[in-house]
Amino acid sequence: MAAREGSSSAAGKIAVVASVAVNLAWLATYIHRRYFGGNYGRSDGGEIATVEPSKGKPPVTEHSVVNLDHGDPTLYVEFWRGTGDRATIVIPGWQTMSYFSDLVGFCWFVEPTFEREVRRLHRLVGNAVVDGYHLLVGTGSTQLFQAALYALSPAQDGSPMSVVSPAPYYSSYPSVTNFLNSALYRWDGDANFFGGDTCIELVCSPNNPDGAIRKPVIKSESRKTIHDFAYYWPQYTPITEAGDHDIMLFTVSKCTGHAGTRLGWALVKDVEVAQKMVKFMELNTIGVSKDSQLRAAKIIKVVCDGYELSPPSEANRLFHFGQRKMKERWSRLRATVAASDIFSLPNEISGYCNFVKENVTSNPPFAWLRCHKDGVEDFEGFLREHKILTRGGPKFGVDEKVVRVSMLDTDEAFNMFMNRVASLK
Ligand SMILES: Cc1ncc(COP(=O)(O)O)c(C=O)c1O
């Protein structure tokens, strides 16, 4: 009897100890996940921690403001969630430590895998010629834009180079050009009203904000160009030709949706211009994050593999996913605008796309929405009163009765915008 009591109390103690141990293990796992993020198990028994990123903008609710001022490309989160771990990279603590990437290549801070995948992507899509071009990487194409201004300036007589673009132009062009008060270049406004010969013309095509397909408007021999091809991708516009201009800028922000990775690239024809751009990058930030380049290389590889090595389903094909989503949004917006008496949009553009091999309509990344309602002079302010944040015409060099609305945000934000806009009379 005593022996039975002894063994049952020992069993009870073991049960309590086991339960405490299980709870402690659970707590440790919880704390680790909560503060150090999820884990990826490894076959060698170790664990690889990923960090928990910030969440970005707050979610949209029925009463909150819908912020469609920025072209924040969160539409693409759905696609990348669907790729699971295919686009995940792991960078051990001892890697990517040196400043240098490629001491034998043209540009010492370009990661060779990034360059390889970017060239592969252009060959796949057919939107730019890559053979014979120098490839540079930047912290977003915004940094490369400044590097290009630096490389093309000043004018031959030493005076500041005029920088122009036809209105409506991307709202960052004037501010980024002028913010350091450079003696090398200065913003000179709407290219359609430029009186001189020597200038840098910014050719954004498809154009931010109105989606127009653009060619340079300045005809002079001494005009230089920077082609901003942030949106020259099949989800936004038919790919009609492979760009072969002097300087072409691209960005993962609008191609794959990875704006937070802050990576852009430039294709540059002339070696001296490319060398000056490299110089700018050295002085400005001593190169570009290798971690970001490796991540972007992996993302772009997954895009290319999705077309070249995988079954042709939308889950594998980024541009088809993007095109469908954008098309759905545009047809809803066009129907709502057609049913209203007070709004209008630019006409739809269509053309044969060499990439998808069929006729497609363009789906610009922004809606350039005009208001015809009597008494509304400041359309941006009018929409703000209805809890919709947009960017008004004056920031793009035009009048106040037009605004730019991002078409790249989450479904929740877009749906809320549609509900609110449909109710405006
Ligand atoms: C036309 C255009 N060019 C360049 C950029 C900047 O891109 P990044 O995020 O690579 O700096 C944007 C971003 O909205 C853009 O709309």
Side-chain angles (χ1 to χ4, degrees):
M1 182 77 172
R4 276 222 331 258
E5 271 172 10
S7 74
S8 78
S9 89
K13 277 183 193 147
I14 289 169
V16 169
V17 169
S19 149
V20 169
V22 166
N23 279 314
L24 280 176
W26 180 86
L27 191 64
T29 309
Y30 170 79
I31 289 171
H32 192 260
R33 291 230 165 104
R34 172 76 180 75
Y35 294 101
F36 302 99
N39 298 313
Y40 292 94
R42 266 188 1 190
S43 54
D44 63 5
E47 278 186 331
I48 301 164
T50 60
V51 286
E52 178 97 338
S54 56
K55 298 277 186 291
K57 288 187 300 191
V60 174
T61 62
E62 206 188 319
H63 302 291
S64 65
V65 167
V66 185
N67 187 346
L68 299 176
D69 175 4
H70 306 277
D72 200 20
T74 42
L75 168 143
Y76 295 97
V77 172
E78 184 187 334
F79 176 85
W80 290 104
R81 264 192 210 287
T83 64
D85 271 351
R86 271 186 290 139
T88 300
I89 61 164
V90 174
I91 304 177
W94 51 269
Q95 277 187 357
T96 65
M97 294 181 66
S98 163
Y99 282 114
F100 305 100
S101 290
D102 184 12
L103 287 176
V104 292
F106 174 76
C107 176
W108 60 265
F109 54 81
V110 172
E111 279 292 309
T113 52
F114 175 73
E115 171 156 6
R116 196 173 55 241
E117 294 302 334
V118 167
R119 288 181 186 273
R120 179 181 171 206
L121 180 68
H122 283 301
R123 289 193 181 103
L124 169 76
V125 173
N127 59 347
V129 172
V130 283
D131 293 329
Y133 276 81
H134 306 285
L135 187 142
L136 305 182
V137 64
T139 302
S141 66
T142 301
Q143 191 184 26
L144 289 160
F145 167 64
Q146 294 167 75
L149 292 184
Y150 169 80
L152 300 178
S153 302
Q156 230 165 14
D157 63 3
S159 62
M161 192 70 151
S162 292
V163 181
V164 297
S165 189
Y169 41 72
Y170 174 36
S171 48
S172 286
Y173 290 157
S175 38
V176 172
T177 304
N178 277 349
F179 86 114
L180 289 179
N181 253 332
S182 172
L184 300 176
Y185 48 79
R186 60 151 189 260
W187 176 250
D188 236 329
D190 187 343
N192 291 313
F193 296 99
F194 179 64
D197 292 325
T198 306
C199 67
I200 299 171
E201 180 175 348
L202 309 174
V203 184
C204 183
S205 186
N207 188 42
N208 175 356
D210 63 356
I213 300 304
R214 288 189 155 182
K215 302 274 179 226
V217 299
I218 307 273
K219 300 294 174 225
S220 143
E221 290 269 290
S222 51
R223 176 267 286 140
K224 300 174 180 180
T225 55
I226 300 173
H227 279 76
D228 186 341
F229 278 160
Y231 303 102
Y232 191 37
W233 295 103
Q235 64 270 49
Y236 305 119
T237 188
I239 302 300
T240 54
E241 61 187 12
D244 60 354
H245 310 286
D246 292 345
I247 300 179
M248 298 182 279
L249 304 182
F250 296 89
T251 167
V252 290
S253 303
K254 308 306 164 104
C255 169
T256 69
H258 291 83
T261 301
R262 305 304 306 124
L263 258 219
W265 65 94
L267 294 172
V268 184
K269 207 181 258 181
D270 183 80
V271 67
E272 279 175 29
V273 172
Q275 278 163 347
K276 281 193 192 158
M277 289 176 71
V278 169
K279 186 82 202 154
F280 177 94
M281 308 295 296
E282 284 173 9
L283 296 174
N284 194 226
T285 43
I286 322 182
V288 175
S289 162
K290 286 186 185 185
D291 300 2
S292 281
Q293 291 188 60
L294 294 180
R295 174 151 198 248
K298 178 71 173 204
I299 296 284
I300 294 172
K301 179 180 186 306
V302 170
V303 174
C304 294
D305 287 354
Y307 282 94
E308 293 176 347
L309 305 174
S310 314
S313 77
E314 194 189 275
N316 295 323
R317 306 202 302 178
L318 172 77
F319 300 121
H320 285 73
F321 164 87
Q323 197 177 43
R324 175 182 59 78
K325 293 287 288 189
M326 297 295 292
K327 197 176 164 150
E328 283 167 8
R329 289 183 178 190
W330 270 101
S331 45
R332 284 176 61 194
L333 181 61
R334 285 199 183 278
T336 300
V337 166
S340 91
D341 294 330
I342 58 169
F343 300 129
S344 66
L345 287 165
N347 289 336
E348 206 169 61
I349 306 172
S350 62
Y352 185 80
C353 176
N354 296 331
F355 176 67
V356 291
K357 307 239 177 312
E358 59 183 355
N359 239 50
V360 292
T361 53
S362 61
N363 307 301
F366 299 99
W368 189 231
L369 189 64
R370 186 165 280 283
C371 182
H372 304 276
K373 186 179 163 77
D374 285 341
V376 175
E377 293 306 319
D378 167 13
F379 187 26
E380 181 190 323
F382 174 73
L383 289 175
R384 197 181 317 111
E385 282 167 20
H386 293 88
K387 296 191 181 163
I388 302 169
L389 298 189
T390 60
R391 195 170 294 183
K395 299 208 175 79
F396 304 90
V398 297
D399 61 277
E400 281 189 300
K401 292 195 173 180
V402 62
V403 297
R404 189 194 78 170
V405 186
S406 171
M407 296 290 281
L408 299 178
D409 220 284
T410 58
D411 283 345
E412 293 72 32
F414 182 73
N415 291 338
M416 195 60 73
F417 163 69
M418 288 301 299
N419 291 343
R420 289 183 190 170
V421 139
S423 70
L424 298 176
K425 299 275 174 296

